[in-house]
Amino acid sequence: MTMTKLLSPALALLLAIPVGIAYGQPDPALNVLDELALGRELLNDMQDTLGPMDTRLIEPIEQLADNLMMLNQFDEAHDLLDRAMQIARIEDGLYTDIQRPLLSKKIGNFANRGNWEAARENMEHLYWLYTEKSKFINQELIDDLLELSRFHLRALAEDDSFYQGYHFSRSAEIRWIAIAVAQTLWSENDARLAPMIYEQLRQLHLQTVALWNGGPASYQLRKVGPGLEAMRGRYDVNETFYLSGLGLLNRLYEVYAGGESPDAEALAMTNVYLGDWHILYDKPEAATKIYRQAYKEMLATGVDESLVNELWDQPIVIPDTKFYSTVEAAVVAQRTKLVTLEGEAPYVYISFSEWSAALPNVRSPLFSDAGNSQESNSNFALFSFSLAGVNTVSRSFSHRYSSTVNMIEQAELLAHYLESPPEEGLLLAKFNSLTFRPRLVDGEPRQATGRLKYYLARDTVK
């Protein structure tokens, strides 16, 4: 939210404060505690001059709350955000847009201190404000809806497991609204829709994992409808998720096929993700066919052959973290997922970061795998493995929903760097739960060997 217009009358007051202390322009050497003290001082000076309920106080109050949250002082941050919202409501009414980012920060503050009951209540209120009280369709509304959708995804890992089904449902619903708003604001063929559509696809995969993991989320995903006790079978729901994913991938195809100049390279990349989806849902023959097609299409578009071969030379864990519309972007991303261990050249490892015990053996839907991996150089296990392209061999310890696709021929635990490791069998089961895009040579799946560095989620290590 831009507050320039509201703050400009306070410039004279800010000029009276020594250089480097003006709020929003702290000395880079100051730490958070210093900034906190200066923020308090500025807020006191401003409210002495402007009064306690002036709208020009909202921004310094918000910034002070940010610093308090960084120091885990959640109670005081909550009080400040409440005060800022009260000022906004008195000045502009109950449904003013000014309060929305403040409410979003309150939700984050509740979540950070583990009060998910209050977070859920405020998330519902914010959802109501977006869907019932939004006066404009604009980029800000799209961004806000996506942020709220992702907050529901965060809740999957942190809120009580009883509410996983609710968070799945709300996250998907809000993202559909964001996509509809974006299509209205832009066009149905705007490439900016692609990452939003792919987020929805990745959530379908998460829901499939939850479906087969059992527990409250699986129960809620299988219910015929809200408030109804009738249940659908897991295989039926699994097939629904698979078909819904095909619909999303077809929508991606339409984005790049529509318009005056279809994007042939992006269409080829869409077929790569379509092949991945077939693999994830136990359709090896369909996957092999579509991978061949994607390979040929890439070469036909004029992409450098060495780049195409690099894309297919290294198996990767699927679903991929993002949708890449060009071969070059996908290759660059794959390179970031390759790591080496200090003093162990020339071995190169694929990196994979597990999200949470709430949904084990999957990547976070909120961050890139590479970014997660680089946060810490501990709490991981090392594996070597061999893959056999695409086949129909049953694998007994993978996700149940892909029991007839087993590209892992052999897996060996090489070492681990865990303070309290689970037994070796459980670590191997984690590795064997992964699904890989196969290595291709001239468009055909081929055997591959590799090594993988598997970062375990902190909350899974006991």
Side-chain angles (χ1 to χ4, degrees), residues 41 53 159 260 306 339 367:
E41 181 180 349
M53 302 302 289
D159 197 2
E260 296 181 359
S306 63
V339 296
F367 317 103

Side-chain angles (χ1 to χ4, degrees), residues 222-233:
R222 293 169 59 200
K223 291 179 71 172
V224 173
L228 301 177
E229 294 303 318
M231 303 278 287
R232 299 174 62 196

Side-chain angles (χ1 to χ4, degrees), residues 223-290:
K223 291 179 71 172
V224 173
L228 301 177
E229 294 303 318
M231 303 278 287
R232 299 174 62 196
R234 289 186 181 180
Y235 287 99
D236 289 339
V237 177
N238 182 83
E239 187 69 8
T240 297
F241 291 159
Y242 166 69
L243 294 174
S244 297
L246 293 183
L248 286 167
L249 286 158
N250 185 64
R251 183 70 191 88
L252 275 175
Y253 190 90
E254 292 172 348
V255 166
Y256 292 108
E260 296 181 359
S261 302
D263 189 334
E265 185 176 354
L267 291 171
M269 287 302 301
T270 301
N271 276 331
V272 175
Y273 292 91
L274 176 58
D276 293 347
W277 197 249
H278 289 316
I279 287 287
L280 288 166
Y281 286 85
D282 203 8
K283 316 289 183 181
E285 293 183 2
T288 304
K289 180 179 179 180
I290 204 70

Side-chain angles (χ1 to χ4, degrees), residues 345-379:
Y347 294 121
V348 176
Y349 291 80
I350 304 168
S351 64
F352 175 87
S353 295
E354 186 179 56
W355 183 19
S356 168
L359 279 170
N361 314 333
V362 295
R363 292 183 172 111
S364 168
L366 302 172
F367 317 103
S368 74
D369 190 54
N372 248 5
S373 300
Q374 294 167 1
E375 288 180 3
S376 172
N377 200 32
S378 61
N379 199 48

